[in-house]
Amino acid sequence: PEDQMRIQAVLPRIVDNCQIFLRELRIEDLRGSGGIYRLREELLSRINAVSPVKVDDVLFKEMLVQ
């Protein structure tokens, strides 16, 4: 619960940091399982750069590609 509160405090910064990265992606960047793996690793790196708590994994609930 304490970690969750610390994450919530910086959540706007995490979301902004991830959205900037996601806007620059192309469809080719996401192709295949390797694309999703690279996406997950990059998001983890960006989240942990601003998070006061170490995040170990990213869960994709939904992905919309336009």
Side-chain angles (χ1 to χ4, degrees), residues 38-56:
R38 287 188 299 274
L39 175 60
R40 178 175 278 121
E41 291 301 311
E42 183 63 33
L43 289 175
L44 271 174
S45 173
R46 290 171 179 271
I47 291 168
N48 282 317
V50 296
S51 174
V53 178
K54 180 159 180 354
V55 176
D56 295 323

Side-chain angles (χ1 to χ4, degrees), residues 6 11 18-21 25 29-30 33 36 42 44 47-48 59 62 64-65:
R6 293 171 68 192
L11 192 57
C18 291
Q19 284 182 344
I20 289 170
F21 168 71
L25 287 178
D29 298 330
L30 300 174
S33 61
I36 299 300
E42 183 63 33
L44 271 174
I47 291 168
N48 282 317
L59 173 64
E62 182 178 359
L64 174 65
V65 179

Side-chain angles (χ1 to χ4, degrees), residues 6-24:
R6 293 171 68 192
I7 293 278
Q8 288 292 332
V10 295
L11 192 57
R13 182 171 291 165
I14 290 172
V15 170
D16 183 59
N17 200 356
C18 291
Q19 284 182 344
I20 289 170
F21 168 71
L22 291 171
R23 284 188 196 114
E24 298 297 321

